[in-house]
Amino acid sequence: MKKRNVLLKICSLILTISYFSGIFTATSAYAQEDILTITQNAGYQTDEVYKPKASIVIEAQTGQVLWEDNPDLKWNPASIAKLMSVYLVFEAIDQGKFTLDTTIKATDSDQAISQIYELSNNSIVSGVDYPVKDLLYATLVQSSNVATVMLANLVTANDEAKFIHMMNDKAKELGMTNSTFYNCSGAETGSFNGYYKPEGIDQNADNVTTARDLAILSYHLLKNYPDTVSYTSPTQITIMENTPYAEVLENHNYSLPGLAYGYEGADGLKTGSSPTGGFNYAATAKREDTRLIEIVLGVGNWEDQEGELQRHAFGNAIFDRAFATYEYKKLLSKGNNTVNQEEIILDQDFYGVIQRNTEPAFKLAADNVTMDTGLAQVSPMIKAPSVSFKYAKKLKALQNATLLKNGSKKNGLSTFFVNGLLIILGLLFAALSKLLKKEPAVTGSTKRFSTLLIIGILLILVGIGLSVYTVLVGPWI
C-alpha cells in the first residue's frame, strides 16, 4: 500500500514537472519568435537579408506599444521625413495662415528641382499656380521632393533654414527625443544641385530618427489632423485636373487595398527609401474601432530593389499579429458601474486597449479609473487612458447632505416668515384694540386692557421669542 502511494506521488510529480516544462518551452519559443519568423509564418516569402533593422506597432488612440524591435535605433527615414513637413503645413492651415485652395506660383528653381532625375518628383512648370491641396497629394502619394520644398517655403515665406528649425522644434515638442532634421523632404540638401540650400544647415547630412519617434509623429499627425489619411490613401490620383498641367500620381504604398500587398483597412501613411536608409515604411490601418500605426525601418539595402516590396510583407505580418491579439473598445459605460467591488459613477465612457478574449483589470486611484494592461506608452508625454469617477456612496452621502442643508435653509426661511407673521399680527391686534377702545362711562373708573390688546401683546412676544430660538437653536418647524 505504501509503495503504491509512493508511486502515485512520483507520477504526479513527474506530470507536474512535465506540464510546467511544456509551458516554459512554449513561452520561451514565443519570446524568441522575431519579425522574420512571424512574417514567414504568415506565408510571405522572405529571408534574413531583408530583415528590418527596427520596427514598432502602436495603437493609434492610446499610444500604447503592441510590438517593438529595436525601436530606439537611430536611422535615416528617407522620405518618411515628409510627414513632419506635412504636419507643419496642416498646422499652418489650422492657424489660418493659408488654406488648401491657396495657390503657390512655381519659380524657376522649383521647375529645375522637378527635373533632377535622381529625386522623386512630379512635374512643375515655372509661372504656374499650384494649389496647396494638389501639392499635398504630390508630397504624400508621389513622394515629390519639389512639392515638399514648395509647401515648406509657403509656411516660412521662403526661409528654408527657418523651416528646418521648425521641424526640429516640433520634434522636441512632440516628444521625439532622438530625431534631428537637416532637410524637409528626406533627400540630402546637396542632391538638389544648389536649388534648395537652407542657410547654415549641413548639406550632406541625413535626417536621423527612430521607429519610436516616427510612431510618435504619426500618432500626433493622425490625432490632430485626421484628414491626413485622405491624402495618403489614394492608390492613384490626378492633380491639376482640367488644366494643361494635369498629372496622374501613383502611390508606392503597396499595402493599400488593391495593390500588390493590399491589406484590409490600410489607408496610409508614407514610404521612404535611400542608399543609406534602405527601404522604410510608416503605415496605418483601421479595422472596426481599432486603428494601428506601425514603423518598419531598414529593410534590405538600396542595391536590391526587392526590399521595396519586402517592407510591406513585414509590415502586414506584424499588423496581423497586433490585430489578432489586441482590440480597442469601450470597456465601461458612462454612469453607474461596479469596479473592484466598488459602486462608482463614470463621467464618460471608458475606452481602452485590451487583449482579445480577456477581462480588463481596472485600477481606482485619485478619482480616476485606469487599466492595468502591461503595455507601455510609446512616449511619457502620451498618457494612458483614464476616466474620472465618483464613488456612488460618497456621492449619495454628499447629495443627502446637500439636500439636508438646502432643507434646513428652506425651513429656516419658513420659520422666520412665520415668526414675522406672528409679530405683524400682534401689532395689528394692538392697533385694532386702540381703534375700537371705548371711553369709560363713569369718571375716575379704572382703565382695563382690552382683549384684542392682550392677544396682540402675546402674539408679539411669541413671535420675538421664536425668532430668538431660531437664531440660537435652529428652525422650530
Side-chain angles (χ1 to χ4, degrees), residues 415-444:
T415 301
F416 277 114
F417 175 78
V418 173
N419 297 344
L421 185 60
L422 290 172
I423 294 171
I424 292 171
L425 284 173
L427 292 172
L428 182 59
F429 273 82
L432 284 173
S433 70
K434 189 174 182 180
L435 183 64
L436 300 175
K437 181 180 178 182
K438 295 180 179 180
E439 292 295 329
V442 181
T443 304

Side-chain angles (χ1 to χ4, degrees), residues 10 21 46 51 80 86-87 148 156 265 320-321 366 372 392 404 472:
I10 292 173
S21 296
T46 188
K51 183 179 177 180
I80 297 180
V86 167
Y87 188 100
T148 310
T156 61
D320 274 345
R321 168 61 65 88
D372 185 8
L404 288 172
L472 296 178

Side-chain angles (χ1 to χ4, degrees), residues 367-378:
D367 297 330
N368 278 284
V369 181
T370 59
M371 190 171 61
D372 185 8
T373 63
L375 299 174
Q377 296 298 123
V378 68

Side-chain angles (χ1 to χ4, degrees), residues 146-176:
V146 64
T148 310
V149 170
M150 291 171 70
L151 289 170
N153 285 336
L154 175 64
V155 172
T156 61
N158 298 310
D159 189 335
E160 296 168 338
K162 180 180 179 180
F163 191 83
I164 306 303
H165 293 307
M166 288 176 65
M167 293 175 76
N168 287 305
D169 289 343
K170 184 58 64 176
K172 292 177 182 177
E173 179 186 325
L174 298 180
M176 301 168 65

Side-chain angles (χ1 to χ4, degrees), residues 55-304:
S55 59
I56 192 170
V57 180
I58 68 170
E59 196 281 319
Q61 296 292 334
T62 64
Q64 292 177 317
V65 180
L66 310 182
W67 159 273
E68 61 179 17
D69 181 26
N70 288 334
D72 299 309
L73 175 72
K74 291 187 177 181
W75 198 255
N76 171 16
S79 284
I80 297 180
K82 290 180 172 72
L83 293 180
M84 177 58 86
S85 295
V86 167
Y87 188 100
L88 293 174
V89 171
F90 281 131
E91 185 176 65
I93 292 173
D94 197 43
Q95 293 169 350
K97 294 181 179 178
F98 50 84
T99 71
L100 291 170
D101 296 322
T102 298
T103 58
I104 303 173
K105 188 176 293 294
T107 65
D108 292 343
S109 292
D110 295 332
Q111 179 174 310
I113 292 172
S114 72
Q115 295 171 352
I116 299 175
Y117 176 76
E118 293 80 8
L119 297 179
S120 174
N121 276 312
N122 69 298
S123 298
I124 293 293
V125 178
S126 181
V128 174
D129 291 324
Y130 291 86
V132 167
K133 185 175 183 178
D134 286 28
L135 292 175
L136 281 169
Y137 279 119
T139 298
L140 292 170
V141 174
Q142 188 71 19
S143 197
S144 170
N145 285 275
V146 64
T148 310
V149 170
M150 291 171 70
L151 289 170
N153 285 336
L154 175 64
V155 172
T156 61
N158 298 310
D159 189 335
E160 296 168 338
K162 180 180 179 180
F163 191 83
I164 306 303
H165 293 307
M166 288 176 65
M167 293 175 76
N168 287 305
D169 289 343
K170 184 58 64 176
K172 292 177 182 177
E173 179 186 325
L174 298 180
M176 301 168 65
T177 57
N178 289 300
S179 298
T180 305
F181 294 97
Y182 296 92
N183 58 74
C184 67
S185 69
E188 288 183 3
T189 304
S191 63
F192 285 83
N193 298 338
Y195 293 110
Y196 168 71
K197 190 177 180 181
E199 187 177 348
I201 306 295
D202 188 345
Q203 287 192 63
N204 300 312
D206 286 323
N207 294 326
V208 177
T209 188
T210 66
R212 181 187 304 279
D213 280 5
L214 289 174
I216 293 169
L217 171 60
S218 300
Y219 166 88
H220 287 289
L221 183 59
L222 293 177
K223 180 181 178 181
N224 296 330
Y225 309 108
D227 286 345
T228 297
V229 294
S230 66
Y231 295 92
T232 61
S233 58
T235 57
Q236 184 184 85
I237 194 165
T238 301
I239 62 171
M240 300 295 286
E241 281 192 291
N242 303 317
T243 74
Y245 311 101
E247 183 179 8
V248 178
L249 307 179
E250 303 284 345
N251 206 316
H252 300 290
N253 179 357
Y254 300 129
S255 287
L256 292 173
L259 298 185
Y261 283 76
Y263 190 82
E264 180 189 348
D267 52 6
L269 292 161
K270 188 77 187 69
T271 60
S273 57
S274 70
T276 58
F279 295 93
N280 309 309
Y281 181 40
T284 183
K286 184 177 182 182
R287 292 183 176 179
E288 296 179 342
D289 292 330
T290 306
R291 176 177 285 281
L292 304 182
I293 294 168
E294 72 176 1
I295 309 295
V296 178
L297 299 179
V299 176
N301 61 72
W302 183 252
E303 286 74 27
D304 181 3

